[in-house]
């Protein structure tokens, strides 16, 4: 048996545990690791994988987006492995059942005042161990400001890093027809 010199120091790039030291998150991981192993439901494997994710890959979800997604599925429980935040543009919150990692105080109050319920993921595990009658949702991952600057070269619509948005900033050659050309 020889030594694999090519992949000697290669490590798997996907997480096998969360990076966070949060004891409550670690307990949730322990619970969903058990459920993923002992049940055939793919739901538990997906929730477990999302519990491992970084904050960037677990974007928060607003109650307006929740309301829009849950409207065709009134009887189901929405599951969000992230924070649920309030959206004051939503005037009336519909009655809905939501399970999430955490809720902001105003989001929790508005959901409960509408006659809905806010569950933790361990309460959800007791109620639906295989994820039956649930709707698994995610927040908008590419809504971050940083994503607007990604990409390379002209014609990509990428946002330049500029100190100001005035006449003298990023408005010369390549930005106006009167200054040579415009991309």
């Amino acid at each position: 048996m020889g030594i694999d010199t090519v992949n000697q120091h290669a490590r798997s790039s996907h997480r096998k545990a969360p990076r966070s030291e949060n004891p409550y998150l670690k307990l949730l991981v322990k619970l969903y690791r058990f459920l993923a192993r002992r049940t055939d439901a793919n739901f538990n494997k997906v929730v477990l994988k999302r519990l491992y994710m970084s904050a960037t890959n677990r974007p928060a979800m607003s109650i307006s987006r929740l309301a829009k997604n849950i409207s065709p599925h009134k009887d189901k429980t929405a599951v969000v492995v992230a924070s649920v935040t309030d959206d004051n543009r939503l005037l009336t919150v519909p009655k809905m059942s939501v399970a999430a990692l955490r809720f902001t105080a105003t989001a929790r109050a508005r959901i409960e005042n509408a006659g809905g319920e806010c569950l933790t993921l361990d309460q959800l595990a007791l109620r639906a161990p295989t994820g039956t009658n649930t709707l698994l949702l995610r927040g908008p991952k590419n809504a971050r400001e940083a994503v607007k600057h990604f990409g390379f070269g002209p014609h990509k619509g990428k946002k330049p890093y500029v100190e100001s948005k005035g006449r003298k900033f990023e408005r010369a050659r390549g930005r106006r027809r009167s200054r040579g050309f415009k991309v």
Side-chain angles (χ1 to χ4, degrees), residues 2 9 13 15 19 23 36 47 64 67 82-83 88 105 112 127 134 141 143 165 169 178:
H9 301 293
S13 60
R15 290 186 179 188
R19 194 75 60 84
V47 170
S64 58
S83 300
N88 53 20
E112 287 172 350
R127 186 180 292 189
T134 59
K141 191 182 163 199
K165 207 169 188 281
F169 304 94
S178 62

Side-chain angles (χ1 to χ4, degrees), residues 8-164:
Q8 190 175 9
H9 301 293
R11 68 181 176 89
S12 171
S13 60
H14 63 271
R15 290 186 179 188
K16 294 177 183 69
R19 194 75 60 84
S20 170
E21 292 295 316
N22 185 340
Y24 300 109
L25 184 65
K26 285 186 167 183
L27 283 169
L28 275 177
V29 165
K30 195 178 278 191
L31 169 65
Y32 275 93
R33 199 176 269 154
F34 171 81
L35 287 171
R37 191 178 76 245
R38 295 297 296 271
T39 63
D40 292 332
N42 199 41
F43 171 84
N44 293 319
K45 292 181 179 68
V46 174
V47 170
L48 180 65
K49 190 174 73 175
R50 290 187 190 177
L51 285 169
Y52 294 162
M53 288 181 179
S54 63
T56 307
N57 292 320
R58 274 191 293 103
M61 196 166 195
S62 66
I63 55 172
S64 58
R65 193 177 281 257
L66 264 173
K68 188 171 72 177
N69 283 301
I70 202 115
S71 60
H73 314 280
K74 295 260 191 269
D75 57 331
K76 292 191 175 183
T77 302
V79 181
V80 185
V81 188
S83 300
V84 171
T85 57
D86 186 24
D87 189 352
N88 53 20
R89 297 169 297 181
L90 183 70
L91 301 175
T92 54
V93 179
K95 181 182 177 181
M96 55 185 170
S97 177
V98 187
L101 265 184
R102 58 184 72 83
F103 295 86
T104 62
T106 47
R108 184 185 292 276
R110 288 188 72 188
I111 291 168
E112 287 172 350
N113 287 347
E117 58 179 347
C118 299
L119 303 168
T120 58
L121 291 177
D122 54 307
Q123 288 172 324
L124 177 77
L126 289 170
R127 186 180 292 189
T130 56
T132 50
N133 221 18
T134 59
L135 183 68
L136 192 57
L137 299 169
R138 282 195 206 196
K141 191 182 163 199
N142 290 338
R144 291 188 308 142
E145 168 63 23
V147 177
K148 293 178 183 177
H149 299 282
F150 293 172
F152 175 74
H155 309 295
K156 295 287 187 289
K158 74 181 216 47
K159 189 178 182 181
Y161 289 105
V162 268
E163 59 184 285
S164 183

